[in-house]
């Protein structure tokens, strides 16, 4: 008999774990970037570490491995890579206006995504004969990708990926920018006031009280236009930058939040799978992958609506490369080989390869909103097939 109290508790824990996951990912990525800048690390390497890096997915996979749930981790990798294309990239196309053309950097990242997807599918198809060496191959591919992209960006061949995370920790930089803007506005308005005062032969003394013989002694005159401009344009007090210790503490907090959220998510999904007698791989490919890729979907919608096509592609390509190389490499190195071999389904591999191929064709040929609708329909069909035939 199903204990609905436990089901409700684990479903609530799953939702709470998602919020904790996003909190931890934001803290980890943002403060990693700040610390790297403080230590003089190349901005290119910072962009590669923070843009499209699925650290939250890696946390979920490590947590699933710690609980002996290798099929759940594999399902999450496959499901997230499919969801990033059919479920997130499609939304970016739908919300874009008119035909979309992608630049050279977008096409290079897309070609890399297709290449790594084909390698991953081939390795998984022959995983039984390759064994744990597959994990080493994928991790080596990630290192090679990281080094080569960093080199080509440095040479100016490619553009650095756009950062797809919230810059919560960059408040200091934002404050600096706003302070500079305020000073600039202040200087501009002051010059205008001086010119106006010179033309009207009126002394410019915005801080000097204005006296009017028609006012009573206890009354004061309202601000003149120049006085109001002056008070509004006075630059705000600049906040002192946070110490390096503060950012290190936030980085550790983010890492702990990632670890805890990964444990909560994998444990709650495993319980639900056992309760409803569902395959861990299927639940990882559907419910868990949809939930963990919600940020990518939101970013795709915003970027598509604003015409930022490069972000839409970098968001999808960077995430999938990270998933299919580093995350998959960790899984193959530390996971249960027999359980992984038993959980591999040819249908999932074909959908993974087909979605990456469609992604490449659309980016190279050019996209239209109806293509996004077609991809989304295919995604719903895939989810339905998973529950109908492979549960």
């Amino acid at each position: 008999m199903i204990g609905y109290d436990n089901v409700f508790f684990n479903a609530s824990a799953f939702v709470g774990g998602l919020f904790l996951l996003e909190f931890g990912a934001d803290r980890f990525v943002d403060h990693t970037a700040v610390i790297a800048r403080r230590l003089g690390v190349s901005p290119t390497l910072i962009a590669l570490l923070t843009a499209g890096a699925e650290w939250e997915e890696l946390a979920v996979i490590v947590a699933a491995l710690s609980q002996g749930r290798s099929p759940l981790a594999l399902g999450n990798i496959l499901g997230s890579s499919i969801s990033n294309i059919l479920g997130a990239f499609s939304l970016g196309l739908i919300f874009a206006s008119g035909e979309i053309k992608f630049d050279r950097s977008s096409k290079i990242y897309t070609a890399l995504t297709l290449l790594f997807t084909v390698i991953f599918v081939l390795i998984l198809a022959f995983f039984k004969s390759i064994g744990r060496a597959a994990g080493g191959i994928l991790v080596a591919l990630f290192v090679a990708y990281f080094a080569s992209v960093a080199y080509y960006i440095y040479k100016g061949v490619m553009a650095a990926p756009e950062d797809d995370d919230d810059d919560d920790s960059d408040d200091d930089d934002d404050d600096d920018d706003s302070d500079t803007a305020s000073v600039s506005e202040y200087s501009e308005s002051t010059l205008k006031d001086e010119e106006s005062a010179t033309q009207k032969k009126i002394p410019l003394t915005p801080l000097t009280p204005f006296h009017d013989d028609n006012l009573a002694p206890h009354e004061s005159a309202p601000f003149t236009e120049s006085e109001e401009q002056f008070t509004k344009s006075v630059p705000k007090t600049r906040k002192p930058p946070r110490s390096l210790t503060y950012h290190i503490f936030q980085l550790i907090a983010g890492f702990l939040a990632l670890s805890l959220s990964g444990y909560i998510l994998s444990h709650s999904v495993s319980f639900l799978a056992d309760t409803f007698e569902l395959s861990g791989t299927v639940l990882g490919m559907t419910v868990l992958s949809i939930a963990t890729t919600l940020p990518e979907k939101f970013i795709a919608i915003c970027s598509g609506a604003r015409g930022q096509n490069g972000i839409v592609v970098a968001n999808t390509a960077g995430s999938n490369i990270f998933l299919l190389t580093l995350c998959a490499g960790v899984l193959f190195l530390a996971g249960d080989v027999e359980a992984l071999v038993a959980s591999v389904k040819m249908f999932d591999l074909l959908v993974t390869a087909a979605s990456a191929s469609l992604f490449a064709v659309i980016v190279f040929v050019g996209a239209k909103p109806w293509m996004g609708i077609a991809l989304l329909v295919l995604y719903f069909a895939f989810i339905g097939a998973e529950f109908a035939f492979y549960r």
Side-chain angles (χ1 to χ4, degrees), residues 73 85 89 93 118 121 128 144 183 204 211 227 233 287 295 301 323 334 341 356 376 390:
I85 296 173
F89 178 67
L93 301 184
V118 171
V121 169
K128 187 174 183 179
V183 171
L204 180 66
H211 298 286
E227 289 170 345
S233 59
V287 178
I301 291 173
L323 282 166
V341 171
L376 198 58
Y390 299 103

mmCIF file of all heavy atoms in Angstrom, residues 73 85 89 93 118 121 128 144 183 204 211 227 233 287 295 301 323 334 341 356 376 390:
data_model
loop_
_atom_site.group_PDB
_atom_site.id
_atom_site.type_symbol
_atom_site.label_atom_id
_atom_site.label_comp_id
_atom_site.label_asym_id
_atom_site.label_seq_id
_atom_site.Cartn_x
_atom_site.Cartn_y
_atom_site.Cartn_z
ATOM 1 N N ALA A 73 21.527 8.398 -12.055
ATOM 2 C CA ALA A 73 22.512 9.384 -12.518
ATOM 3 C C ALA A 73 22.620 9.376 -14.041
ATOM 4 O O ALA A 73 22.664 10.435 -14.681
ATOM 5 C CB ALA A 73 23.870 9.094 -11.886
ATOM 6 N N ILE A 85 18.030 20.713 -25.303
ATOM 7 C CA ILE A 85 17.801 20.995 -26.728
ATOM 8 C C ILE A 85 16.309 21.063 -27.056
ATOM 9 O O ILE A 85 15.808 22.078 -27.536
ATOM 10 C CB ILE A 85 18.483 19.931 -27.603
ATOM 11 C CG1 ILE A 85 20.008 19.995 -27.418
ATOM 12 C CG2 ILE A 85 18.129 20.153 -29.081
ATOM 13 C CD1 ILE A 85 20.765 18.877 -28.114
ATOM 14 N N PHE A 89 16.245 24.983 -25.653
ATOM 15 C CA PHE A 89 16.598 25.655 -26.905
ATOM 16 C C PHE A 89 15.346 25.948 -27.729
ATOM 17 O O PHE A 89 15.236 26.999 -28.366
ATOM 18 C CB PHE A 89 17.564 24.773 -27.706
ATOM 19 C CG PHE A 89 17.972 25.331 -29.035
ATOM 20 C CD1 PHE A 89 18.762 26.473 -29.119
ATOM 21 C CD2 PHE A 89 17.567 24.720 -30.219
ATOM 22 C CE1 PHE A 89 19.137 26.996 -30.354
ATOM 23 C CE2 PHE A 89 17.943 25.225 -31.444
ATOM 24 C CZ PHE A 89 18.728 26.371 -31.515
ATOM 25 N N LEU A 93 13.771 29.627 -29.372
ATOM 26 C CA LEU A 93 13.345 29.865 -30.754
ATOM 27 C C LEU A 93 11.903 30.354 -30.813
ATOM 28 O O LEU A 93 11.564 31.238 -31.608
ATOM 29 C CB LEU A 93 13.476 28.580 -31.574
ATOM 30 C CG LEU A 93 14.873 27.944 -31.673
ATOM 31 C CD1 LEU A 93 14.826 26.732 -32.596
ATOM 32 C CD2 LEU A 93 15.902 28.951 -32.158
ATOM 33 N N VAL A 118 28.137 12.369 -30.168
ATOM 34 C CA VAL A 118 28.390 11.130 -30.925
ATOM 35 C C VAL A 118 29.392 10.250 -30.183
ATOM 36 O O VAL A 118 29.201 9.025 -30.062
ATOM 37 C CB VAL A 118 28.904 11.467 -32.345
ATOM 38 C CG1 VAL A 118 29.378 10.207 -33.061
ATOM 39 C CG2 VAL A 118 27.800 12.140 -33.161
ATOM 40 N N VAL A 121 27.626 8.671 -27.138
ATOM 41 C CA VAL A 121 26.685 7.607 -27.533
ATOM 42 C C VAL A 121 27.443 6.340 -27.930
ATOM 43 O O VAL A 121 27.053 5.222 -27.547
ATOM 44 C CB VAL A 121 25.774 8.094 -28.681
ATOM 45 C CG1 VAL A 121 24.994 6.925 -29.282
ATOM 46 C CG2 VAL A 121 24.809 9.165 -28.172
ATOM 47 N N LYS A 128 30.029 -1.937 -22.182
ATOM 48 C CA LYS A 128 30.310 -3.220 -21.538
ATOM 49 C C LYS A 128 31.723 -3.689 -21.846
ATOM 50 O O LYS A 128 32.425 -4.239 -20.986
ATOM 51 C CB LYS A 128 29.289 -4.259 -21.996
ATOM 52 C CG LYS A 128 29.384 -5.580 -21.259
ATOM 53 C CD LYS A 128 28.253 -6.503 -21.658
ATOM 54 C CE LYS A 128 28.321 -7.810 -20.861
ATOM 55 N NZ LYS A 128 27.207 -8.718 -21.225
ATOM 56 N N ALA A 144 40.570 18.471 -22.594
ATOM 57 C CA ALA A 144 41.011 18.929 -23.912
ATOM 58 C C ALA A 144 40.095 20.035 -24.439
ATOM 59 O O ALA A 144 40.564 21.025 -25.011
ATOM 60 C CB ALA A 144 41.031 17.756 -24.888
ATOM 61 N N VAL A 183 28.445 59.840 -10.754
ATOM 62 C CA VAL A 183 29.407 60.936 -10.825
ATOM 63 C C VAL A 183 29.338 61.600 -12.187
ATOM 64 O O VAL A 183 29.375 62.818 -12.314
ATOM 65 C CB VAL A 183 30.837 60.394 -10.547
ATOM 66 C CG1 VAL A 183 31.859 61.459 -10.821
ATOM 67 C CG2 VAL A 183 30.938 59.923 -9.118
ATOM 68 N N LEU A 204 25.076 80.449 -9.209
ATOM 69 C CA LEU A 204 24.710 79.066 -8.972
ATOM 70 C C LEU A 204 25.142 78.661 -7.567
ATOM 71 O O LEU A 204 26.312 78.454 -7.296
ATOM 72 C CB LEU A 204 25.388 78.169 -10.008
ATOM 73 C CG LEU A 204 25.109 76.674 -9.886
ATOM 74 C CD1 LEU A 204 23.637 76.410 -10.174
ATOM 75 C CD2 LEU A 204 25.983 75.887 -10.848
ATOM 76 N N HIS A 211 15.923 82.722 -0.387
ATOM 77 C CA HIS A 211 15.102 83.633 0.416
ATOM 78 C C HIS A 211 14.133 84.367 -0.489
ATOM 79 O O HIS A 211 14.474 84.783 -1.585
ATOM 80 C CB HIS A 211 15.993 84.643 1.153
ATOM 81 C CG HIS A 211 16.946 83.979 2.115
ATOM 82 N ND1 HIS A 211 16.550 83.449 3.312
ATOM 83 C CD2 HIS A 211 18.289 83.752 2.013
ATOM 84 C CE1 HIS A 211 17.607 82.930 3.942
ATOM 85 N NE2 HIS A 211 18.671 83.095 3.158
ATOM 86 N N GLU A 227 18.301 72.989 -8.284
ATOM 87 C CA GLU A 227 18.566 72.411 -6.975
ATOM 88 C C GLU A 227 18.115 70.948 -6.926
ATOM 89 O O GLU A 227 18.777 70.090 -6.357
ATOM 90 C CB GLU A 227 17.865 73.232 -5.893
ATOM 91 C CG GLU A 227 18.516 74.611 -5.662
ATOM 92 C CD GLU A 227 17.649 75.491 -4.769
ATOM 93 O OE1 GLU A 227 16.471 75.160 -4.588
ATOM 94 O OE2 GLU A 227 18.155 76.495 -4.273
ATOM 95 N N SER A 233 21.453 64.144 -8.381
ATOM 96 C CA SER A 233 22.638 63.664 -9.067
ATOM 97 C C SER A 233 23.859 63.522 -8.162
ATOM 98 O O SER A 233 24.913 63.159 -8.626
ATOM 99 C CB SER A 233 22.985 64.618 -10.221
ATOM 100 O OG SER A 233 23.205 65.915 -9.704
ATOM 101 N N VAL A 287 11.369 13.487 -14.814
ATOM 102 C CA VAL A 287 11.081 14.419 -13.712
ATOM 103 C C VAL A 287 12.337 15.150 -13.248
ATOM 104 O O VAL A 287 12.370 16.378 -13.160
ATOM 105 C CB VAL A 287 10.432 13.666 -12.528
ATOM 106 C CG1 VAL A 287 10.174 14.629 -11.371
ATOM 107 C CG2 VAL A 287 9.133 13.014 -12.968
ATOM 108 N N PRO A 295 16.480 26.381 -14.937
ATOM 109 C CA PRO A 295 17.202 27.637 -15.197
ATOM 110 C C PRO A 295 17.540 27.819 -16.674
ATOM 111 O O PRO A 295 17.453 28.933 -17.203
ATOM 112 C CB PRO A 295 18.480 27.498 -14.347
ATOM 113 C CG PRO A 295 18.117 26.525 -13.283
ATOM 114 C CD PRO A 295 17.164 25.569 -13.918
ATOM 115 N N ILE A 301 14.254 31.490 -22.745
ATOM 116 C CA ILE A 301 13.095 32.344 -23.027
ATOM 117 C C ILE A 301 13.502 33.812 -23.029
ATOM 118 O O ILE A 301 13.178 34.568 -23.959
ATOM 119 C CB ILE A 301 11.983 32.095 -21.990
ATOM 120 C CG1 ILE A 301 11.380 30.700 -22.186
ATOM 121 C CG2 ILE A 301 10.875 33.156 -22.109
ATOM 122 C CD1 ILE A 301 10.394 30.305 -21.102
ATOM 123 N N LEU A 323 27.830 18.081 -19.428
ATOM 124 C CA LEU A 323 27.119 16.872 -19.010
ATOM 125 C C LEU A 323 27.727 15.607 -19.610
ATOM 126 O O LEU A 323 27.956 14.609 -18.911
ATOM 127 C CB LEU A 323 25.648 16.962 -19.423
ATOM 128 C CG LEU A 323 24.720 17.822 -18.572
ATOM 129 C CD1 LEU A 323 23.407 18.065 -19.304
ATOM 130 C CD2 LEU A 323 24.462 17.152 -17.226
ATOM 131 N N ALA A 334 33.050 5.990 -11.352
ATOM 132 C CA ALA A 334 32.660 5.628 -9.983
ATOM 133 C C ALA A 334 31.369 4.832 -9.890
ATOM 134 O O ALA A 334 31.024 4.353 -8.812
ATOM 135 C CB ALA A 334 32.523 6.909 -9.141
ATOM 136 N N VAL A 341 25.197 -0.890 -17.508
ATOM 137 C CA VAL A 341 25.004 -1.663 -18.739
ATOM 138 C C VAL A 341 23.549 -2.104 -18.864
ATOM 139 O O VAL A 341 22.943 -2.036 -19.943
ATOM 140 C CB VAL A 341 25.940 -2.882 -18.757
ATOM 141 C CG1 VAL A 341 25.589 -3.809 -19.918
ATOM 142 C CG2 VAL A 341 27.390 -2.442 -18.855
ATOM 143 N N ALA A 356 20.802 16.194 -30.789
ATOM 144 C CA ALA A 356 22.035 16.945 -31.049
ATOM 145 C C ALA A 356 22.172 17.245 -32.546
ATOM 146 O O ALA A 356 22.649 18.326 -32.930
ATOM 147 C CB ALA A 356 23.246 16.167 -30.558
ATOM 148 N N LEU A 376 9.622 21.278 -29.403
ATOM 149 C CA LEU A 376 8.883 21.123 -28.142
ATOM 150 C C LEU A 376 7.868 19.981 -28.244
ATOM 151 O O LEU A 376 7.685 19.217 -27.280
ATOM 152 C CB LEU A 376 8.178 22.438 -27.800
ATOM 153 C CG LEU A 376 7.717 22.604 -26.341
ATOM 154 C CD1 LEU A 376 8.894 22.478 -25.384
ATOM 155 C CD2 LEU A 376 7.023 23.942 -26.153
ATOM 156 N N TYR A 390 8.670 2.479 -21.123
ATOM 157 C CA TYR A 390 9.889 2.113 -20.384
ATOM 158 C C TYR A 390 9.794 2.321 -18.877
ATOM 159 O O TYR A 390 10.805 2.335 -18.190
ATOM 160 C CB TYR A 390 11.093 2.907 -20.925
ATOM 161 C CG TYR A 390 11.363 2.635 -22.375
ATOM 162 C CD1 TYR A 390 11.000 3.551 -23.363
ATOM 163 C CD2 TYR A 390 11.974 1.442 -22.764
ATOM 164 C CE1 TYR A 390 11.243 3.301 -24.701
ATOM 165 C CE2 TYR A 390 12.231 1.186 -24.102
ATOM 166 C CZ TYR A 390 11.863 2.115 -25.063
ATOM 167 O OH TYR A 390 12.104 1.850 -26.391
#
